[in-house]
Structure formats: structure tokens, C-alpha cells
Amino acid sequence: MSNYSPDIAIFLRCLYSGGAERVLLNLARGFVQQGLKVDMVLAASSGAILKQLPSEIRLIDLKAESKIAILPRLVEYLRAENPTSMLSALHYPCEIALLAKRIARVSTKIVVSEHNHLSLEAKRIPQLSVRLTPLAARLLYPLADGIVSVSQGVAEDLAKVTNLPKQRIDLIYNPVITPELFVKAREKVNHPWFQPEEPPVILAVGRLHQQKDYPTLLRAFVRVRQVRRCRLVILGEGPEKDNLNNLINELGIQKDVRMLGFVDNPYAYMANSRVFVLSSAWEGFGNVIAEALAVGTPVVSTNCKSGPAEILGNGKYGELIPVADPKAMAEAILKVLSGEIKQIDTDWLNQFKLQHCTKKYLEVMGKQLAVNSEQLTVSC
């Protein structure tokens, strides 16, 4: 490695298409726009959104063949490059980053960002590593130089889980509204259901995982379809695909439901749908809600912990319904389809924009931004 001396390193296992990975990729772009030198440090250089990494960002592939290999490879990187700050998200990367700094004995400031409601996730997911995340956070998060939560609900839960004072945790909403989002939203959707004169499309976007509770959405769709003609499109991949296909067939709605898998540009689908629905049992933030609002698509969301109510202004900017309630979900969808749409205050969306969130992250990392004409000078 060279004497590049990065200002900020972002550490993740891979660049999958998940919400946290997209957020950190957006932040990487935001940091570069502020004139900072940024490394994207990956345990392995793979993932669906890797190709979206801008050329201005240096890619560091640790080439870790196993989980065990990640820690020593990251220690080597920190000793060689000693970036001013390192930002990580998701549990394994956060914990590895904190341990790597201790072992490497470098001055790098480690900032961890929590993207999920830990206590709920640990209760709902049987996987042992997930069950142990609250314990790992309690043991290791106190070592962090900065801790960011992506919603107030996540911050409150994290404080309880870790026994840390809430003052140690900074709230920064996810920077999901970018200039690129609006460009992509104007692209054409090459699917026959999104053509003029076709029935309205209800859209959901997210991993096919029990967290997203798509069975409730499918059962709600059955009720909606009994009242008016419409269609349902779900974007995303995940372990529940076969179970959901079986349920779709069982409910007899296979002609009006499509699961289209991962798509490079979900924003065009959002912009061309009549209503966006988030059916999650729990969330950390709910990126797709803010994205749908940004492109002008009405939102129906469960009032799950945590994030949706904060994004929707406690129901001012979208429909909030109880978790796992197909009847209430169907009623809310029909309400929107009938034209009862809540107007969005564009100023409200500023808190989810990249420029705003980038500045807040830089403040957490101890960098003071000073505006001088069109240039931003960063001093540590």
C-alpha cells in the first residue's frame, strides 16, 4: 500500500444491495464531494452494488477467505495506512473494526453506526450470531470513538442494550435522498404492468426475509383486490422466496403478483407505482420510505420499531398501521388508491439528504467544516 493517507476509511464485509451498504456507499460519495480522501475497505470485493463505487474512492480488498481472516487483514491495513477515521456498519464489521484498532494500536478514530433495532432482532431471529449481537454490542461499543444510530428508536434501544448513556449516541438519519435518485427515478420501467392504462401497481422493496413480513402484505393484497383491480410488485431477493411463492399460489393471486428480484434501479419502479408499502415487523430506519416520499409516491407503512413513524412525521406524511394487520393494511392501501393522499413538506425531506447527513457524520468524526466560497476546508 502507498502513502495515500486516507482521511476516512469505510469498512464493510462486501457491497451487498442491503440498506446499510447503500447508505455507506452514499456517504463515501458525500465525503469525496467534501474533498476528502476515502478508502472503501472490504473483506472481499464483491456484491451487487460494487460496480457503483466511484473511481475517486480507493477500493481496498482484504481478500479474506474466511471470517477468521478478516481481523488480521484489517489490522495490517490500519497499521499500514492509519486513516484518520474509520466508519463501519452492521455488527460483524463494527466489532471487527473496534478489535482491530485495539490490536493495531493506531490513532484511527473508529465510528460505528447501528442500523437495526437490536433487542427485537435478537428475539426474532434464531441464528446464534444474531442472538449474541446485544452482548457483543454491550462489550465492544464502549470502545468506539463515536456511535451513530439511524433513528431515535434505535438509539433508545441501543442505550438500553449497551447500558451506555444516550449522550454517547448520535442520531443521524440515513442519507438516502441524493441527486442520483431523482435522475434514476425518471428512467423508464421496462415492464408491461407499468405501461399507461394498466391497473395501478402497489410496490414493496426489500429483502425477502421474515423481518419484512411479506405474508401480511400478500394477505392485505387479497383484500384490496376484492375491492378494485390492481397489481403487486415486490423487488428483492432473500431466503423467504420459496415460502412466499407458495403463499402466493395458496392465496390464488399469482396472476397479479410479481417478485422481480434485485433490480439496479428501484427508484423508477417507485416513481411509477401508485402506492408504496412497507410491511416490516421491525426496522432500524426504513430507507425505502424516505426514497418513496422523495419521488412523490404515497406510503403505507407499519408503525414498527423503529424508523417509519419518525420518517412519516407520526402519520402526517403517510399512512401508519399496526404490525401484522392485513385488514388495516388493506384499508390504508385502498384509501390511497381512492385518492386520499397526504401532501409532503419538501423541507421535511432535507434531513434525509446526503449533504445534510454527510456534514453530521463528519461532525461525529471530529472534523470541522468551514465554508469558504465554493470550497469546504477540513481541519482535524
Side-chain angles (χ1 to χ4, degrees), residues 132-161:
L132 293 176
T133 51
L135 175 61
R138 191 177 307 124
L139 292 173
L140 294 174
Y141 275 26
L143 303 177
D145 297 291
I147 304 172
V148 173
S149 74
V150 299
S151 68
Q152 186 61 46
V154 165
E156 292 170 358
D157 181 66
L158 185 59
K160 291 178 182 177
V161 165

Side-chain angles (χ1 to χ4, degrees), residues 166-183:
K166 282 189 67 177
Q167 306 89 278
R168 280 284 320 265
I169 303 170
D170 288 281
L171 169 63
I172 307 177
Y173 290 134
N174 282 340
V176 295
I177 301 179
T178 66
E180 292 79 13
L181 180 150
F182 297 105
V183 173

Side-chain angles (χ1 to χ4, degrees), residues 307-364:
E310 294 177 50
I311 300 170
L312 293 174
N314 291 314
K316 184 177 179 181
Y317 302 117
E319 301 296 329
L320 285 170
I321 57 168
V323 172
D325 189 335
K327 182 174 181 291
M329 183 176 289
E331 290 171 352
I333 292 171
L334 286 167
K335 184 177 177 181
V336 173
L337 291 176
S338 69
E340 292 187 46
I341 298 171
K342 297 182 178 181
Q343 297 302 309
I344 308 301
D345 179 355
T346 54
D347 289 340
W348 175 259
L349 298 179
N350 289 338
Q351 59 193 324
F352 314 125
K353 290 185 177 179
L354 178 58
Q355 185 176 14
H356 173 83
C357 300
T358 298
K359 182 176 180 180
K360 295 195 73 173
Y361 267 94
L362 290 172
E363 289 170 354
V364 171

Side-chain angles (χ1 to χ4, degrees), residues 51-93:
K51 60 187 176 182
Q52 298 177 22
L53 188 69
S55 59
E56 300 91 341
I57 297 169
R58 187 173 67 157
L59 173 64
I60 304 295
D61 182 3
L62 299 181
K63 298 181 180 178
E65 299 81 9
S66 66
K67 285 185 178 181
I68 296 174
I70 300 175
L71 178 58
R73 299 282 174 86
L74 187 61
V75 170
E76 290 175 11
Y77 166 80
L78 288 175
R79 285 174 174 167
E81 301 295 341
N82 194 19
T84 304
S85 298
M86 174 173 278
L87 172 64
S88 191
L90 302 173
H91 270 282
Y92 196 72

Side-chain angles (χ1 to χ4, degrees), residues 197-267:
E197 309 305 323
E198 290 295 319
V201 173
I202 300 162
L203 181 71
V205 180
R207 201 158 73 98
L208 307 182
H209 186 275
Q210 69 179 84
Q211 176 184 0
K212 305 303 180 181
D213 192 14
Y214 287 122
T216 291
L217 173 58
L218 293 173
R219 293 186 175 98
F221 180 68
V222 171
R223 292 172 176 266
V224 173
R225 196 162 148 273
Q226 290 170 350
V227 176
R228 65 176 297 169
R229 192 176 176 218
C230 58
R231 288 163 172 162
L232 172 64
V233 170
I234 300 173
L235 305 181
E237 297 283 358
E240 289 295 303
K241 183 176 182 178
D242 289 343
N243 290 335
L244 293 173
N245 271 322
N246 290 338
L247 181 58
I248 289 168
N249 291 330
E250 179 186 319
L251 295 171
I253 52 176
Q254 56 269 36
K255 289 184 178 180
D256 291 319
V257 179
R258 291 290 181 272
M259 294 197 297
L260 301 182
F262 171 80
V263 299
D264 284 325
N265 181 10
Y267 313 116

